Amino acid sequence: MKPIITKEKAIADKVGPIDIVRALPSDLTPRVGPIIFLDHILEKNLLPGEFSAPNGSFAHPHRGIATFTYLLKGELIHFDSNGGYGRVKAGGVQWMNAGNGVIHDEVIPEEFRVSGGAFYGFQFWVNLPAEIKEQAPDYMPVQAEELPLIQLADGQATLKVLLGEYGGKSSPIPAFTQQFIWHIKLSGKASIELKTLEGLEYGGYLPNGNALFNDIEISARELVVFDSNDTGITISNKANKELEILLFGGEPYEEKIVSHGPFVMNTVEEIGQAYEDFRSGKYGKIDYQITGEI
């Protein structure tokens, strides 16, 4: 079995009124493969009127990464300054390639703002190869039914392929290197063994509940990173209730990484250019009226 290199508790934080737990980057782990950021958006029952209509105050720029928002409960509307728009329901993904610069906003739909409801999910940042950082931005909304769902362990587990592939099943979301994000659900008292590939980096995160990863006990809201040999990962659920697991990673990112705020580039000079282009208006503006929904 793959040895565990590190395990550490994620750090609680807040983004506006939303409570989060930040698993990546951490003190011991700056990234796993091309995955450089993971926020666990804690489940929250939104109160009627808690969120106002979008006014641009949450809109912010990115460059050099792909943002990847996986929604478990609720709905989200995406707007960006490149004309990207989409509405994703629970179980779906908002994917945006920031490329050479874009401003985006993720908005709670009006009916949820009025009536309230449960909201819960995760956001990843995927670092882009240098050549992709220079390309125009792109956006893709993917609904739950478009993502492959694989039965494992004689029906005692499912693996949802959010990014990359597993067992010959691939996500429709673009992947510019070998990279993956899997959402696993494991029945109570069940175990699974997952195939791994030599040379890829593997990380895991437990949103809730405890489990054994390769016979090492992992607690809720802990990040684990595995050695890169190819001997597989075994996960055992010792509780009676269903367990959720995120596994993610990919091939090591070999290019130099320089990050500052919402920008992740390859040199200090490129970071400076990213800020200069943003401040000069080159990323454009968001049109919130393009759909008539807001």
Side-chain angles (χ1 to χ4, degrees), residues 49-107:
E50 185 173 1
F51 282 80
S52 59
N55 58 14
S57 60
F58 187 70
H60 56 280
H62 285 296
R63 185 162 172 168
I65 59 169
T67 62
F68 186 104
T69 303
Y70 177 40
L71 196 62
L72 274 297
K73 293 185 179 180
E75 294 188 15
L76 269 179
I77 299 175
H78 168 99
F79 295 92
D80 68 51
S81 58
N82 193 50
Y85 162 81
R87 180 169 178 150
V88 164
K89 299 180 179 180
V93 170
Q94 302 268 24
W95 175 86
M96 183 188 73
N97 172 3
N100 61 11
V102 72
I103 300 169
H104 82 137
D105 201 352
E106 291 183 303
V107 174

Side-chain angles (χ1 to χ4, degrees), residues 84-196:
Y85 162 81
R87 180 169 178 150
V88 164
K89 299 180 179 180
V93 170
Q94 302 268 24
W95 175 86
M96 183 188 73
N97 172 3
N100 61 11
V102 72
I103 300 169
H104 82 137
D105 201 352
E106 291 183 303
V107 174
I108 304 292
E110 182 179 10
E111 58 268 34
F112 279 84
R113 299 199 304 268
V114 171
S115 62
F119 187 79
Y120 167 48
F122 301 88
Q123 187 174 81
F124 296 83
W125 290 3
V126 184
N127 197 9
L128 297 172
E131 61 180 358
I132 307 299
K133 293 178 189 287
E134 298 304 317
Q135 295 182 4
D138 195 10
Y139 166 74
M140 176 185 289
V142 181
Q143 304 299 342
E145 60 271 19
E146 301 175 78
L147 295 163
L149 188 67
I150 302 168
Q151 299 289 326
L152 300 173
D154 297 324
Q156 295 186 89
T158 60
L159 186 151
K160 190 174 181 180
V161 184
L162 306 179
L163 179 66
E165 68 90 26
Y166 186 85
K169 304 280 188 175
S170 298
S171 166
I173 296 172
F176 302 109
T177 61
Q178 274 191 285
Q179 53 194 236
F180 60 91
I181 303 174
W182 305 326
H183 180 203
I184 298 166
K185 293 184 179 180
L186 183 60
S187 298
K189 302 298 185 181
S191 296
I192 53 170
E193 184 173 348
L194 300 169
K195 299 176 182 177
T196 61

Side-chain angles (χ1 to χ4, degrees), residues 181-250:
I181 303 174
W182 305 326
H183 180 203
I184 298 166
K185 293 184 179 180
L186 183 60
S187 298
K189 302 298 185 181
S191 296
I192 53 170
E193 184 173 348
L194 300 169
K195 299 176 182 177
T196 61
L197 296 176
E198 186 173 6
L200 299 190
E201 298 177 353
Y202 288 79
Y205 177 73
L206 281 181
N208 300 291
N210 300 338
L212 295 180
F213 281 39
N214 291 354
D215 294 332
I216 303 296
E217 186 165 354
I218 306 300
S219 301
R221 302 181 188 175
E222 274 194 325
L223 170 76
V224 298
V225 180
F226 298 88
D227 185 83
S228 59
N229 66 49
D230 64 345
T231 51
I233 296 172
T234 298
I235 304 172
S236 299
N237 181 6
K238 298 304 181 182
N240 290 316
K241 63 181 181 180
E242 184 179 77
L243 179 73
E244 294 191 75
I245 307 114
L246 290 173
L247 288 180
F248 51 88

